[in-house]
Amino acid sequence: MLNWERLRVFAAVARAGSVRAAAEALHITGPAVSQQLRRLEKEAGCRLVEPFGRGIRLTHAGRLLAGSAQEMVESAERAQRELATANAVVAGPLRIGAVASALRTMLPAVLRKLSERHPRLEPALVDGEADDMLPLLSTGRLDAVVLESWEHWPVRLPAGVSTTLLLRESARVAVPCGHPLADARVLRLGEQRGQPWASCPPGSDAYEALVQLLRAHGDPEPAVRYAVADYTTMLRLVGAGLAFSLVPEMAAHPLPPGVRLLPVEPGVSRTVAAATLDGAATPPVEAFLSELRRAAAPPEREPGPEPVRTAEGGPEP
């Protein structure tokens, strides 16, 4: 019989591609991972890994076993979630995917609050684009995905997936302070024709939203010269005078030197939402959604004095 714990460690090695990365993912030492691999090979009666450069790679037998080991790990996690649901306990694994702008601004505080309220919960987080993460949600490899959807270029949801709206926000165009358009009160789409842009990589929601927006306003071949994964880098490129960038409110702070944000006409906005599988609202997922809604809610305003009215009925200057 193959030992379950060793199979779990082997699946982590196969998934991560190295002993070191697997050890970090499992929160154990590298020598402990290597020892489990040697014992598993002894149980299996064959080599599962072999030296490759400074690391290792799977043998043919190792590749065959890796698929079954990963299926067993996923089955065990699914069983743990089902037990948690049955007992209404917020515990066990919670696998989250998120777009980078939400990950940088919302998710750290949300995960901290979750860990404080539910110490037995085991959240794991990856970043990516909706097109890459939604298939993982559909197949049960992720439990929730925090995604963006531009109102003029909405994300396409797979069957059986629904979303919880978290917030709706406007986007602005970031321009270099030394550009002739930087002094404008508002940027009317079409005025920027021929300008270079910085955006997320091709295929991402943000890239497609930008390209479709510019095409709809008289720029058939937008010059997206800088494809980077995060808005912070885009804003630095703008500050260096190299490009314009379309930036949602969530990602616009802190604003680096040399950048001015201009409102856009017509207005451009996006929504941020949490996608989950229909009928898969486990206690960990429900706790996560609740914490997300709390984080996205606008702060309550302190009650203040009523404005003094003039004789004409308006506020006193």
Side-chain angles (χ1 to χ4, degrees):
M1 292 291 291
L2 300 179
N3 179 274
W4 156 244
E5 182 60 24
R6 289 168 198 146
L7 283 171
R8 187 175 76 91
V9 171
F10 175 67
V13 172
R15 187 169 57 249
S18 72
V19 167
R20 179 180 176 181
E24 291 176 354
L26 296 171
H27 305 292
I28 59 178
T29 65
V33 171
S34 299
Q35 184 181 59
Q36 293 284 45
L37 288 178
R38 289 193 297 270
R39 290 180 177 177
L40 183 62
E41 288 180 329
K42 187 173 182 181
E43 292 173 352
C46 61
R47 293 290 299 277
L48 300 174
V49 298
E50 60 187 4
F52 183 67
R54 295 185 177 181
I56 61 171
R57 65 180 178 186
L58 301 183
T59 64
H60 175 64
R63 290 193 296 272
L64 290 176
L65 181 60
S68 297
Q70 183 59 36
E71 289 177 4
M72 294 173 68
V73 169
E74 291 174 359
S75 295
E77 291 178 347
R78 186 165 54 251
Q80 190 171 5
R81 291 196 302 274
E82 290 171 352
L83 286 174
T85 303
N87 296 315
V89 175
V90 182
L94 174 65
R95 298 159 303 174
I96 305 161
V99 294
S101 57
L103 190 157
R104 183 169 64 90
T105 55
M106 293 179 62
L107 270 296
V110 166
L111 294 177
R112 179 174 59 83
K113 288 292 186 181
L114 271 177
S115 298
E116 291 173 354
R117 290 190 169 101
H118 311 287
R120 293 174 57 193
L121 193 62
E122 301 167 11
L125 179 65
V126 296
D127 69 338
E129 294 295 327
D131 284 349
D132 298 322
M133 296 186 293
L134 286 173
L136 301 178
L137 178 66
S138 294
T139 56
R141 297 176 67 181
L142 288 176
D143 300 307
V145 171
V146 181
L147 51 80
E148 65 178 355
S149 182
W150 294 82
E151 295 200 341
H152 68 280
W153 189 255
V155 68
R156 297 178 181 177
L157 296 176
V161 172
S162 57
T163 58
T164 300
L165 177 65
L166 300 174
L167 59 91
R168 179 177 286 103
E169 60 179 2
S170 298
R172 298 188 178 191
V173 171
V175 303
C177 284
H179 194 278
L181 291 175
D183 293 329
R185 184 182 61 83
V186 64
L187 179 69
R188 293 175 177 85
L189 290 172
E191 293 179 335
Q192 81 300 323
R193 192 174 307 144
Q195 294 294 331
W197 289 81
S199 184
C200 294
S204 65
D205 294 312
Y207 175 91
E208 295 300 331
L210 172 65
V211 168
Q212 295 303 322
L213 181 70
L214 297 180
R215 285 176 178 169
H217 291 85
D219 196 351
E221 295 297 331
V224 184
R225 294 184 189 172
Y226 305 97
V228 295
D230 64 282
Y231 286 104
T232 301
T233 305
M234 291 178 215
L235 289 171
R236 290 288 181 182
L237 292 168
V238 175
L242 298 172
F244 285 13
S245 188
L246 183 66
V247 183
E249 290 178 9
M250 181 184 292
H253 306 285
L255 199 65
V259 179
R260 181 157 184 230
L261 295 177
L262 295 180
V264 185
E265 284 186 0
V268 180
S269 61
R270 74 166 186 174
T271 58
V272 177
T276 53
L277 276 179
D278 295 340
T282 63
V285 170
E286 288 288 2
F288 177 59
L289 293 178
S290 177
E291 204 60 58
L292 275 177
R293 287 190 290 264
R294 190 177 292 114
E300 293 185 5
R301 299 182 62 179
E302 292 288 337
E306 288 293 324
V308 177
R309 298 285 171 177
T310 65
E312 289 76 16
E316 185 177 57

